[in-house]
Amino acid sequence: MPARCCSLLFLTLLLSCGKQESSVPPSATLTAESRHAEFETEIKTFCGHCHLCPDPDVLTQDAWRMQIPREYVHYEQSTEKNLRVPPMPEVIRYFVDHAPTKHQLPAQIADVPSGPVHFERQSFPRQADDPLPGVTNLNWVSGNKLPGELLLTDLDSGRAGRIRFSASQPEFESLAKLHHPAHIERVDLNGDQHDDYLIADLGSFGPEDHDRGTVEALLFDPQSNSYQQQTLQAGLGRVADAKAADFDADGDLDLIVAEFGWHKTGRLLYLENVSKSKADLQYQLRVLDPRHGASHVLITDWNQDGLPDFVTLFSQEHEIIVAFLNEGQGRFRTETIYQAPDPAYGSSCIELVDLDQDGDLDLLYTNGDTMDSFELRPSHSVQWLENRGRFPFEHHRLAPLTGAYGVTHGDFDNDGDIDLAACTMTWNYDQRRNTIVWYEQTAPGQFTAHPLDYSYGQHPVLTAGDFDGDGNLDLAVGNFEARAVEQVDQSEWFSLWWNKGSAKSKQPAKK
């Protein structure tokens, strides 16, 4: 059950488009209320031209003072020339006057309780001579007559590889050294009955507008018993995700590519498989959606018509989850699953799950990205988008979680319902936090949080799987450190949390 989120991806453009017009400052004798009344409609009209206008309370006063001048730089770089732009001092004054001085965040639990399930932590060190840990994807895959394996990509070192478990001991095997990989899938791309690997590569460590993003394949060669790398598509912006399915029902696998990009680059792409032979994969590119910020692609058949559909999360200023319903021959109809309430929502992860076990797939969703303002916000949380047979899905806020970045699911306590686990990445080292939490479902749609740690850790991704085959779902949690800090042991690449079953059985007997 894969869970992934790509680090350094989500840079929000809170306000966009247009070019600033010169304006005479309002009279100093106007009251704050009069000034707001004069400019509020103009501000909301302008900000709402390309996206939802943010509520002032999403950022603090200090954050608005820093953020708005940055956005006026984007105005000057925009192609829009016909918008009336409010004077920047009044925009700053409007948002600052309505914003809080400080956010009230959920309390953290320093003395981590044992909880109903006992998890035993094992640290896995990063590879020798590698830079700081930059895990962007952990993906547990099993079945298909192959051993279960934990797939991993590291943005900083460029490693793409797999961890296999022998007598419960993890062993890492490098599959390829790429540029800046973000996601990896195991799939038989060329239909030769051998599993290959499909990899999305951002092309840069940090956010940039460039054409160095790629979609890569590691194709298994049975003669040499090794994997051969083939670039399936080059010349792209930052590629965050790529998934394969036979969308046009012609017997081969096509690709959906989330080209996240940055400011001037980024699209959602359909790569139709037009290969003449299995030995040489070829694709024809078509743009499905011109918006930047696509970070996740999940394949499913929403309407049960036998054609694969997919869902995409767009972050940046869009903050929207969209279903693409397959109408055949490479054509898709779109439906909105969820539109977040503001363009600084910080969308970070989605995952398919039938949480209420009613026979259809819902979505888990987290928001906690802070790469726009580096502010921690009370809106950060773990959410459930319930499939009620219509669009949009019904939104449920399940639990607050500051800096929520990744989410996964499974029946961790073996009681027959679905529990959750989530991790956080805040880029904040001011205080320790509960960065890994599992949520016990105690009643339908009701969850109790059980923190597993209290640390400075930065964790963009986690996944669940029965790694040791003992019948209990374990967790793997990735680390990401963009800079050296003394608060964190940066030798750890990722951690494994072995599920040892009921914590009651671990308690010493009473005398």
Side-chain angles (χ1 to χ4, degrees), residues 7-53:
S7 311
L8 297 175
L9 293 182
F10 310 106
L11 295 170
T12 308
L13 303 177
L14 296 177
L15 309 168
S16 63
C17 306
K19 185 175 181 180
Q20 185 179 3
E21 300 175 354
S22 61
S23 177
V24 178
S27 171
T29 61
L30 288 176
T31 65
E33 184 176 348
S34 299
R35 285 199 306 269
H36 295 156
E38 179 181 355
F39 287 102
E40 183 173 16
T41 300
E42 185 176 344
I43 291 170
K44 289 185 175 180
T45 299
F46 174 68
C47 295
H49 178 75
C50 295
H51 53 71
L52 294 176
C53 182

Side-chain angles (χ1 to χ4, degrees), residues 4 70 74 83 104 106 157 191 193 219 319 375 398 458:
R4 42 97 40 211
R70 294 190 196 120
H74 295 308
L83 297 176
Q104 298 298 317
S157 68
Q193 308 305 309
L219 302 174
E319 304 290 353
E375 272 207 333
L398 298 180
Q458 306 295 326

Side-chain angles (χ1 to χ4, degrees), residues 121-132:
R121 185 177 185 274
Q122 179 183 358
S123 176
F124 194 99
R126 71 176 190 264
Q127 300 296 289
D129 301 323
D130 273 2
L132 296 175

Side-chain angles (χ1 to χ4, degrees), residues 28-228:
T29 61
L30 288 176
T31 65
E33 184 176 348
S34 299
R35 285 199 306 269
H36 295 156
E38 179 181 355
F39 287 102
E40 183 173 16
T41 300
E42 185 176 344
I43 291 170
K44 289 185 175 180
T45 299
F46 174 68
C47 295
H49 178 75
C50 295
H51 53 71
L52 294 176
C53 182
D55 290 330
D57 62 1
V58 302
L59 295 178
T60 61
Q61 294 176 356
D62 287 342
W64 281 122
R65 292 187 183 100
M66 292 188 296
Q67 189 69 30
I68 291 173
R70 294 190 196 120
E71 305 313 324
Y72 270 76
V73 174
H74 295 308
Y75 302 170
E76 296 297 329
Q77 298 172 349
S78 170
T79 58
E80 292 278 356
K81 305 297 180 184
N82 59 348
L83 297 176
R84 177 174 175 79
V85 181
M88 185 167 62
E90 289 304 321
V91 174
I92 294 175
R93 186 177 290 114
Y94 169 78
F95 281 98
V96 167
D97 285 353
H98 291 84
T101 57
K102 184 179 180 180
H103 287 313
Q104 298 298 317
L105 301 175
Q108 303 296 299
I109 300 175
D111 295 323
V112 177
S114 60
V117 174
H118 176 66
F119 285 91
E120 189 173 288
R121 185 177 185 274
Q122 179 183 358
S123 176
F124 194 99
R126 71 176 190 264
Q127 300 296 289
D129 301 323
D130 273 2
L132 296 175
V135 178
T136 47
N137 185 211
L138 288 171
N139 184 358
W140 171 251
V141 292
S142 60
N144 201 22
K145 299 181 180 180
L146 290 177
E149 55 189 24
L150 180 62
L151 305 180
L152 175 148
T153 57
D154 187 287
L155 185 70
D156 202 358
S157 68
R159 290 189 185 275
R162 60 191 180 190
I163 298 96
R164 287 182 170 173
F165 299 86
S166 175
S168 301
Q169 293 303 310
E171 296 180 1
F172 176 76
E173 177 189 355
S174 183
L175 294 170
K177 196 76 176 293
L178 304 170
H179 294 289
H180 300 283
H183 186 78
I184 182 171
E185 290 283 322
R186 189 172 80 182
V187 59
D188 181 5
L189 285 169
N190 53 12
D192 66 353
Q193 308 305 309
H194 294 284
D195 276 348
D196 312 301
Y197 294 97
L198 175 65
I199 303 173
D201 195 303
L202 288 164
S204 64
F205 182 86
E208 300 176 36
D209 283 315
H210 59 61
D211 61 358
R212 302 191 300 274
T214 62
V215 180
E216 303 288 340
L218 302 179
L219 302 174
F220 184 74
D221 177 17
Q223 292 185 343
S224 64
N225 194 34
S226 64
Y227 292 92
Q228 305 299 315

Side-chain angles (χ1 to χ4, degrees), residues 184-445:
I184 182 171
E185 290 283 322
R186 189 172 80 182
V187 59
D188 181 5
L189 285 169
N190 53 12
D192 66 353
Q193 308 305 309
H194 294 284
D195 276 348
D196 312 301
Y197 294 97
L198 175 65
I199 303 173
D201 195 303
L202 288 164
S204 64
F205 182 86
E208 300 176 36
D209 283 315
H210 59 61
D211 61 358
R212 302 191 300 274
T214 62
V215 180
E216 303 288 340
L218 302 179
L219 302 174
F220 184 74
D221 177 17
Q223 292 185 343
S224 64
N225 194 34
S226 64
Y227 292 92
Q228 305 299 315
Q229 183 177 340
Q230 179 183 341
T231 299
L232 303 183
Q233 188 71 44
L236 302 177
R238 299 163 70 229
V239 179
D241 199 1
K243 296 288 172 59
D246 186 6
F247 292 103
D248 54 6
D250 64 351
D252 53 29
L253 294 184
D254 313 296
L255 305 178
I256 300 295
V257 176
E259 183 192 35
F260 186 92
W262 195 32
H263 292 158
K264 300 177 182 179
T265 55
R267 302 161 296 177
L268 182 69
L269 306 175
Y270 173 56
L271 271 59
E272 180 186 357
N273 191 331
V274 293
S275 306
K276 301 299 183 182
S277 71
K278 295 179 180 179
D280 184 23
L281 294 176
Q282 299 290 329
Y283 297 88
Q284 183 173 311
L285 184 151
R286 181 158 57 88
V287 177
L288 290 181
D289 195 303
R291 286 178 287 191
H292 59 188
S295 61
H296 295 68
V297 174
L298 303 176
I299 307 294
T300 187
D301 184 1
W302 285 119
N303 49 15
Q304 302 296 310
D305 64 355
L307 296 174
D309 310 309
F310 67 94
V311 57
T312 297
L313 170 61
F314 292 91
S315 55
Q316 295 284 63
E317 74 272 28
H318 307 298
E319 304 290 353
I320 190 171
I321 302 171
V322 181
F324 287 77
L325 303 178
N326 193 343
E327 296 187 324
Q329 299 180 333
R331 294 178 292 108
F332 297 88
R333 173 172 59 88
T334 61
E335 295 283 357
T336 296
I337 292 178
Y338 180 69
Q339 172 67 69
D342 71 73
Y345 201 59
S347 298
S348 50
C349 186
I350 54 174
E351 178 161 302
L352 291 166
V353 60
D354 183 6
L355 188 61
D356 51 5
Q357 298 177 297
D358 65 350
D360 55 30
L361 285 175
D362 315 303
L363 279 173
L364 296 175
Y365 173 45
T366 57
N367 72 307
D369 177 68
T370 61
M371 287 300 294
D372 52 348
S373 66
F374 292 92
E375 272 207 333
L376 306 180
R377 302 172 193 162
S379 62
H380 293 172
S381 62
V382 177
Q383 299 157 62
W384 169 34
L385 303 177
E386 181 186 1
N387 185 348
R388 301 293 296 271
R390 60 184 180 274
F391 296 102
F393 286 8
E394 186 169 326
H395 177 264
H396 305 271
R397 190 173 191 261
L398 298 180
L401 184 63
T402 304
Y405 226 88
V407 65
T408 190
H409 68 276
D411 186 5
F412 297 111
D413 53 6
N414 292 316
D415 65 350
D417 57 21
I418 297 175
D419 310 305
L420 311 177
C423 59
T424 73
M425 186 166 68
T426 62
W427 305 106
N428 183 293
Y429 296 94
D430 292 341
Q431 70 172 84
R432 291 182 175 88
R433 298 186 181 278
N434 303 126
T435 68
I436 306 169
V437 184
W438 81 275
Y439 298 89
E440 176 191 8
Q441 186 165 190
T442 55

